[in-house]
Amino acid sequence: MVSSSHEALHRIFQQEPGLFARVARNLGVAFPPPVSATELSTDLTETRPLERRVDTLLRMDTEDGSFVLAVESQSKPSPHKPASWAYYLSHVYAKYSVPPVLLVVCPDRKTAAWAAQQFDIGPRQWPSLTLRPLVLGPSDLPVIDSPDEAARDIPLTILSAALHRCEPEADAILNALAKALKGLSADDENTAGTFIELMEQGLGTTQAADLWRHLMAVDLSFFQSQTAQQLRAEGEARGEARGEAKGEMKGQAKAVLVLLGHRGVEIGEEDRERILGCGDPEVLDVWLKRALTARTAAEVFAPADGTGTAD
């Protein structure tokens, strides 16, 4: 199943085709910016029942000529991918008679290092085809943590955040992006909604996604687009759920202490802090049941199966 974060890493090039020329400079390759860009069909299906689809396919027309850009979002190394990529490029070249370029976008350094190698296709003595993808990973984009810099190139900032989503710099990038989006005029709300959606997709299920929902609820509360409203609602619902869960656990912990105190079981300060600080409702439930009969604190915390502690 294709994940939303997978989609964002290539869809950003559909939204802003000129982004490719800008990020290519980070890879040491100079492509002129496109004069125009035409979105092509991503369906590379053969006449026989074999379906192949590239993630994004764009014809880029520049002052120096034209090329077809194939963008693949790759989340992990795959031994079968180089053959598929070679097929994509060969098929595109045969179909459009325009030189193809493959850009592989990877959200982690390990996958980027794997994809950046040269793939020789054919026997060792004479490889018939050499695959050389351009690879864009976390190391290839700057950390954009300034609102002014983010405002100058919002699509690049979105891509930077998506590629650094599991790294410590993600929070700073998202804060800068939120401030940059806040500077857009009311006329740009539809564009802002697209950017907000792409950023949400690009963060996947990481902790950075929770921060982004919080920023939607606070810094970007003036946006009324469906995506922004949905993110705010999700963020508020998650906050309420977390609050309710914490309240229930705090009540359980206090019940354990009250019951033990009523039965005259002595509880030291360290054990008291352990009970009040427990964040596992299942463990608290076990302790509450044991508090009904336990004569000492040790009996409350006794291992459940003799192999470890109850928490």
Side-chain angles (χ1 to χ4, degrees):
M1 180 180 294
V2 177
S3 65
S4 59
S5 57
H6 171 102
E7 291 293 296
L9 291 179
H10 67 85
R11 276 187 56 203
I12 188 66
F13 292 93
Q14 298 176 18
Q15 178 69 23
E16 178 64 30
L19 179 61
F20 170 72
R22 303 199 291 276
V23 300
R25 289 195 293 269
N26 292 277
L27 303 173
V29 184
F31 282 92
V35 176
S36 64
T38 306
E39 191 169 343
L40 305 175
S41 171
T42 60
D43 188 352
L44 304 182
T45 308
E46 297 178 331
T47 53
R48 59 195 178 103
L50 177 64
E51 185 175 292
R52 297 181 188 268
R53 291 182 183 272
V54 66
D55 286 337
T56 281
L57 197 63
L58 297 169
R59 178 184 173 116
M60 310 285 269
D61 300 313
T62 76
E63 293 179 350
D64 291 342
S66 302
F67 64 94
V68 172
L69 174 65
V71 184
E72 280 281 284
S73 174
Q74 190 68 26
S75 59
K76 62 182 178 180
S78 170
H80 307 295
K81 268 297 181 178
S84 296
W85 291 338
Y87 173 88
Y88 297 162
L89 297 181
S90 298
H91 183 92
V92 165
Y93 190 50
K95 183 175 182 178
Y96 297 107
S97 299
V98 176
V101 174
L102 172 64
L103 175 68
V104 182
V105 187
C106 307
D108 67 273
R109 300 174 192 275
K110 179 181 178 181
T111 304
W114 165 80
Q117 63 184 304
Q118 177 174 299
F119 297 98
D120 292 325
I121 300 174
R124 175 178 55 81
Q125 296 86 345
W126 190 269
S128 301
L129 191 65
T130 297
L131 180 69
R132 296 178 59 216
L134 278 174
V135 178
L136 190 66
S139 301
D140 303 306
L141 279 190
V143 173
I144 302 175
D145 53 9
S146 162
D148 290 339
E149 187 179 358
R152 285 194 291 271
D153 200 334
I154 289 177
L156 182 63
T157 306
I158 292 172
L159 191 57
S160 175
L163 292 182
H164 292 93
R165 64 195 182 201
C166 294
E167 303 189 355
E169 299 83 1
D171 289 7
I173 301 173
L174 292 176
N175 276 288
L177 176 60
K179 290 180 174 62
L181 288 174
K182 194 172 182 179
L184 294 178
S185 66
D187 295 337
D188 294 323
E189 183 170 339
N190 289 336
T191 301
T194 300
F195 289 149
I196 290 170
E197 179 184 7
L198 282 170
M199 192 68 272
E200 164 74 2
Q201 291 180 343
L203 297 174
T205 58
T206 60
Q207 290 184 350
D210 290 333
L211 171 62
W212 185 241
R213 291 187 182 92
H214 173 73
L215 292 172
M216 292 301 96
V218 179
D219 288 0
L220 300 179
S221 57
F222 54 89
F223 279 122
Q224 299 301 316
S225 69
Q226 183 177 355
T227 300
Q229 291 186 53
Q230 180 179 347
L231 288 177
R232 284 196 289 274
E234 290 177 358
E236 291 170 359
R238 290 190 181 195
E240 290 175 1
R242 284 195 292 266
E244 291 176 1
K246 288 181 179 179
E248 290 178 2
M249 286 186 288
K250 188 175 181 179
Q252 272 188 300
K254 288 184 176 180
V256 172
L257 293 174
V258 169
L259 186 56
L260 290 173
H262 180 71
R263 298 188 59 252
V265 178
E266 293 186 6
I267 296 294
E269 189 59 32
E270 184 177 341
D271 289 336
R272 178 180 295 275
E273 291 179 0
R274 180 180 181 182
I275 292 171
L276 291 174
C278 181
D280 189 332
E282 293 184 2
V283 171
L284 285 169
D285 188 52
V286 171
W287 290 348
L288 185 59
K289 291 176 181 177
R290 290 180 177 178
L292 293 170
T293 57
R295 290 168 294 182
T296 64
E299 291 183 13
V300 175
F301 302 127
D305 56 4
T307 60
T309 60
D311 58 341

